[in-house]
Amino acid sequence: MSDRTVHLAETTIVRAIAVLALLTSACATLQEQRSPQRFEIGVLGDVPYTAADEAKMPALIKQMNEADLAFVVHVGDMQADGAGYRDGAPPCTDETLANRKAQIETIRHPVILTPGDNDWSDCHRAKPGSGYDPLERLSKVREMFFHGDDSLGQRRLRLNRQSSDSRYTKYRENARWSYREVLFITIHMVGDNNNRGRTPQQDEEYADRNAANLEWLKQGFEIAKRDRYKAVMIITQANPYIEDTWTPAYKRRMRIGPPFVTPFGFTDFLRALEEEISTFDRPVALVHGDTHFFRVDKPLRFAKNQRAYEHFTRVETFGSPHVHWVRAIVDVSDPQVFSFKPELVRTQ
């Protein structure tokens, strides 16, 4: 056999080994993606606010539609705050709400929505005109987005709604579902102090909804403990400002400003959250929007005992003018279960 023949044979073997390695790698990746213990979800919210945001939304939805996602969670604020409205769809109108729903329905995955303050509680300051009645807008949002027991989106996911309890028939937006040993809970808690501290009527709405939210959170963790779920994810619109529970000394260390002056709209929720995660020793993630600042962190400290809760992770998605989304990777074979990756949408 000539040297050339030997060389060609060796080259062929090397190429075959390389191809086999690539195929093995591809099969491993595919197996990982299809593992019954691993899945991915998409998180978005606080968009679109402006005409520029609206122009970017098709690219965001296209990217999400191309991703292999079990479902999508939308943390609300589908439109601009009326006080800062500049251009694009006018906030709080029936037409804008209908447009946003139609847009959500173009997502090929199941979509679970929780409302934001821009969607109803801040509609009193929408312009032009003297604004809207927030409670009337809340009724409209519930009517348009939360009828039936299925999610939004082109594929549907069956949900358990709090409204199935005769004590809480109004709260169709509070939902719960499980997926591969993880329990997901939406809590209707909105930004701008959770609709607290503006008028007596709004305070009454806050008190009733807050009581429903606390009960829904409690029931969710009771189920998670009883059925031995591997993890819990809580989805809400509001940033509840966990930092407000820190001691003054720790706030100074972290360069955090003073607490709210008005009655704080998230005190009860934060106390209840600490109580639940202190007795649930598996991973808990809180996913929210509201302050338009992408982050994944472990705030660690709560007011009760300043204990560090390392199994608790807070995630905030992007918001206007940053029209992006967050990919959540859920792997119940991983002790931490949750990991998160920012997905930047390029329109050019």
Side-chain angles (χ1 to χ4, degrees):
M1 184 180 294
S2 68
D3 290 344
R4 174 177 171 78
T5 302
V6 170
H7 177 71
L8 289 174
E10 289 176 346
T11 302
T12 301
I13 291 170
V14 169
R15 286 176 178 172
I17 291 172
V19 169
L20 181 60
L22 285 172
L23 289 173
T24 302
S25 175
C27 288
T29 301
L30 185 61
Q31 184 177 13
E32 179 185 17
Q33 289 174 344
R34 293 181 178 175
S35 167
Q37 296 182 306
R38 184 184 186 279
F39 61 96
E40 298 180 355
I41 65 178
V43 181
L44 80 156
D46 296 302
V47 288
Y49 280 18
T50 65
D53 292 350
E54 290 169 359
K56 297 174 184 176
M57 286 299 293
L60 183 149
I61 291 172
K62 180 176 183 292
Q63 191 180 97
M64 295 187 90
N65 282 346
E66 291 172 349
D68 184 13
L69 304 176
F71 52 85
V72 171
V73 293
H74 193 311
V75 299
D77 266 18
M78 302 172 280
Q79 55 193 326
D81 183 330
Y85 171 69
R86 300 195 312 272
D87 55 27
C92 301
T93 67
D94 286 359
E95 292 76 14
T96 296
L97 289 174
N99 171 272
R100 298 304 190 249
K101 184 178 180 184
Q103 190 172 64
I104 287 172
E105 297 287 21
T106 66
I107 297 175
R108 75 177 181 94
H109 313 291
V111 181
I112 300 90
L113 171 72
T114 187
D117 52 304
N118 289 5
D119 303 325
W120 68 273
S121 65
D122 286 344
C123 285
H124 64 93
R125 54 195 187 192
K127 299 174 182 178
S130 57
Y132 296 82
D133 173 13
L135 298 185
E136 184 277 328
R137 289 292 83 188
L138 175 56
S139 295
K140 176 59 72 172
V141 167
R142 284 172 170 156
E143 172 192 327
M144 292 184 66
F145 291 89
F146 301 104
H147 57 82
D149 293 328
D150 290 337
S151 68
L152 302 168
Q154 293 182 5
R155 290 189 295 118
R156 302 290 185 173
L157 186 67
R158 182 56 57 95
L159 307 172
N160 294 310
R161 296 195 184 275
Q162 190 175 21
S163 55
S164 63
D165 185 331
S166 60
R167 298 172 297 169
Y168 303 106
T169 55
K170 288 191 296 187
Y171 301 100
R172 300 195 53 75
E173 64 275 14
N174 280 349
R176 184 173 62 230
W177 69 101
S178 62
Y179 199 91
R180 297 184 187 172
E181 299 185 86
V182 179
L183 188 66
F184 297 86
I185 306 168
T186 61
I187 300 285
H188 183 187
M189 189 169 65
V190 297
D192 203 12
N193 207 37
N194 208 11
N195 199 39
R196 187 181 186 189
R198 193 176 71 84
T199 69
Q201 186 183 33
Q202 301 300 89
D203 285 348
E204 182 180 355
E205 186 284 328
Y206 155 80
D208 291 345
R209 180 170 43 82
N210 185 56
N213 286 344
L214 297 179
E215 179 63 22
W216 193 237
L217 183 72
K218 179 177 179 240
Q219 289 180 11
F221 274 95
E222 285 174 350
I223 291 169
K225 294 168 191 173
R226 182 195 70 199
D227 296 342
R228 299 294 299 171
Y229 279 96
K230 295 291 183 67
V232 172
M233 178 179 284
I234 304 159
I235 300 112
T236 188
Q237 195 272 325
N239 177 355
Y241 297 101
I242 295 170
E243 298 85 351
D244 203 66
T245 66
W246 293 346
T247 63
Y250 199 72
K251 287 181 182 178
R252 286 194 297 272
R253 177 181 171 188
M254 301 302 292
R255 303 297 192 267
I256 301 295
F260 276 63
V261 176
T262 58
F264 192 43
F266 308 108
T267 299
D268 294 339
F269 171 78
L270 290 172
R271 287 174 180 164
L273 180 64
E274 179 183 11
E275 186 66 30
E276 298 298 349
I277 69 169
S278 70
T279 58
F280 185 78
D281 60 359
R282 279 150 280 164
V284 177
L286 173 66
V287 174
H288 68 78
D290 187 19
T291 38
H292 303 216
F293 183 80
F294 169 69
R295 59 182 134 187
V296 180
D297 64 1
K298 291 184 176 292
L300 299 178
R301 297 168 182 268
F302 285 82
K304 185 176 179 180
N305 55 21
Q306 294 300 299
R307 174 185 165 190
Y309 295 108
E310 294 181 351
H311 63 296
F312 173 74
T313 303
R314 181 261 301 276
V315 184
E316 181 170 3
T317 190
F318 296 94
S320 178
H322 309 292
V323 184
H324 307 303
W325 59 287
V326 177
R327 187 189 302 264
I329 299 97
V330 186
D331 186 347
V332 297
S333 67
D334 182 341
Q336 297 186 55
V337 180
F338 301 115
S339 58
F340 301 89
K341 177 186 175 185
E343 294 288 353
L344 304 184
V345 178
R346 303 302 182 192
T347 56
Q348 294 182 347

